[in-house]
Amino acid sequence: MLTKEEDYQKKSLKNLKVKIKEEMKKIFIKTFGCQMNVYDSKRIADLMKKYGYEETDKISEGDIILFNTCHIREKAAEKVFSDLGRAKKVKNVREKQGKDTIIVVMGCVVQAEDDVIIKRAPYVDIALGPLAYHKLPELLKKVLSKRDSEEGNNFGLIDTEFYAEPKFDYLPDNKSQGACSFLAIQEGCDNFCTYCVVPYTRGIEYSRPIEDVLKEAKSLVNTGTLEINLLGQNVNSYHGEDKNGKERNIAYLINKLAEIDGLKRIRYTTSYPADVDDDLIEAHKNIKELMPYLHLPIQAGSDIILKAMNRRYSASEYLRLVEKLLKANSEIGFSSDFIVGFPGESDKDFEKTIRIVNEVKFIQAFSFKYSQRAGTPAAIMKNQIEENVKTERLQILQDLLFSYQNKFNKDCIDKTMPVLFEQKGRHKGQLVGRTPYMQNLYAEADFNCINKLIDVKIIDATTNSLKGEKVKG
Ligand code: 5AD
Ligand code: SF4
């Protein structure tokens, strides 16, 4: 039993905490696009926390409203402009309540189209390229002091710096947010596939030094991470320097990471087929922490199209690589990206894509209609494909891909797999976790199973998820 005084103190403390929370500044972040953007958004949230901004999932609460944008396909890039319109409305409402709002756009759309943003959304306060986002606090200070001195709005604080190195040095430690964490080890791409904006938005390839990556990985493991997913646009061409200035490949890094006590699972994404070397294949054979799941985008099955895309491999080379990897570890499941309707793709070319899907039997995949991106070589190719043909091909391809995904999932029934539980499920008493193959798995389990690797027997499966039962004992 608390005394009256203790009770009063406890209540006052609680009220004070609520008041501090209410008065804390808030940042609302919406992320579009790839896992690298998800990672960047987390890092920016960590950075802004240091400056007194707490993350909120309500746009109306945002003292800062930030959109982290994607430019890979037209649809993704367009989405941000409708969201910016919404942000402007929120800003007006907040203004009437006497609250200031800073609207920030960061990411690949800024790098590619900062002039378009200025024209279409002049109320944006800060625009930052994907390699310059660590400068947000600095630019924020400038905007706020300008607000104080001049009144009213101002645009124009744009930074589209194009070197990846400094960013990582200016960010706070990457702390885990649960059982699985992303860790960016490489950024940018020199492959210049003819359809892709990434080399122009994320810049040329840069690999972080081995020691920096290991330090970040240890910090993640010390704060609760059991699974690390190494990120990079072309992650397997990683060539970071070690302590002695010697360049090391991703297989070396994976070997070093596997030595970290408490790190149970390692993944890496996204890989470029022509850059998978023998060391990496060997790592799939020898390192038990390396998950038997590989995202290896092929894009198309026709050599003519692969050549026009400037992909540095043929369909048969891709198949040979799959064979080699399976020889090293027969448990590996492959996932992939596909583009249909690339300029010049004939029915015969498309059939070759279908053929390769039937050979590899991908267990998961992402497939897209080709989207013309200004500034890329494919955008001005003469033989563009009609939209209705792209739609038809995508449907055929996706039906086939889903059928293999469904079959793989159904074949898991009655098998037992280690599952890393990450969070509560939608139903009471249910948790959600991931199998080694990145499948979402639902099972009834105690809350204390979260952040643990537990053997689960698969009892049911759909195309998108598995249902399981904890194995007793
Ligand atoms: N159109 C359609 N899909 C694209 N991708 C990249 N650029 C384009 C484009 N212009 C797809 C590729 C890549 C994935 C991330 O996005 O399949 O692997
Ligand atoms: Fe784009 Fe090709 Fe680089 Fe992938 S490998 S990021 S598709 S240029």
Side-chain angles (χ1 to χ4, degrees), residues 152-170:
N153 222 332
N154 65 302
F155 189 94
L157 291 173
I158 300 175
D159 200 311
T160 48
E161 179 172 344
F162 219 42
Y163 299 97
E165 291 108 297
K167 169 170 102 181
F168 294 105
D169 296 341
Y170 287 95

Side-chain angles (χ1 to χ4, degrees), residues 72-73 195-197 270 297 299 337-339 366 368-373:
I72 200 108
R73 283 169 293 275
Y195 51 81
C196 185
V197 290
T270 294
Q299 311 295 359
D337 289 345
F338 294 89
I339 296 177
F366 302 94
F368 315 97
K369 286 192 246 182
Y370 166 69
S371 169
Q372 262 174 298
R373 308 309 290 131

Side-chain angles (χ1 to χ4, degrees), residues 347-470:
D347 284 344
K348 233 167 135 192
D349 292 319
F350 178 62
E351 260 170 43
K352 289 184 177 155
T353 297
I354 296 295
R355 206 178 300 159
I356 211 143
V357 172
N358 284 326
E359 291 210 32
V360 182
K361 302 179 176 52
F362 296 96
I363 66 168
Q364 277 151 46
F366 302 94
S367 44
F368 315 97
K369 286 192 246 182
Y370 166 69
S371 169
Q372 262 174 298
R373 308 309 290 131
T376 60
I380 48 167
M381 288 180 183
K382 294 273 174 283
N383 40 7
Q384 300 289 329
I385 303 293
E386 299 273 330
E387 191 59 24
N388 62 332
V389 177
K390 289 185 199 171
T391 306
E392 205 177 300
R393 287 183 186 161
L394 187 66
Q395 190 63 53
I396 294 168
L397 177 62
Q398 288 188 338
D399 285 349
L400 185 66
L401 289 167
F402 284 143
S403 75
Y404 281 114
Q405 183 171 329
N406 187 273
K407 182 172 181 331
F408 180 76
N409 286 356
K410 290 264 192 288
D411 285 348
C412 290
I413 295 176
D414 288 338
K415 287 187 183 156
T416 296
M417 291 185 192
V419 172
L420 182 52
F421 284 105
E422 291 170 47
Q423 56 191 345
K424 282 199 275 188
R426 235 180 300 147
H427 302 295
K428 205 166 167 234
Q430 188 191 52
L431 298 185
V432 192
R434 295 247 195 197
T435 70
Y437 296 101
M438 293 290 269
Q439 297 147 298
N440 277 323
L441 180 135
Y442 296 84
E444 279 181 19
D446 286 349
F447 197 62
N448 66 11
C449 293
I450 289 182
N451 292 357
K452 290 200 181 107
L453 257 178
I454 290 172
D455 278 342
V456 172
K457 186 176 172 201
I458 315 304
I459 54 171
D460 204 357
T462 65
T463 305
N464 294 317
S465 66
L466 305 179
K467 199 170 156 194
E469 268 174 5
K470 257 172 70 185

Side-chain angles (χ1 to χ4, degrees), residues 67 83 110 129 138 141-142 145 166 179 232 272 278 354-355 364:
F67 297 112
D83 271 291
V110 177
E138 191 185 312
K141 211 170 132 196
K142 276 193 200 159
S145 65
Y272 188 82
D278 288 346
I354 296 295
R355 206 178 300 159
Q364 277 151 46

Side-chain angles (χ1 to χ4, degrees), residues 189-193 195-199 233-234 272 299 311:
C189 184
D190 299 346
N191 282 322
F192 290 95
C193 300
Y195 51 81
C196 185
V197 290
V198 167
Q233 266 89 28
N234 187 3
Y272 188 82
Q299 311 295 359
R311 301 287 288 184

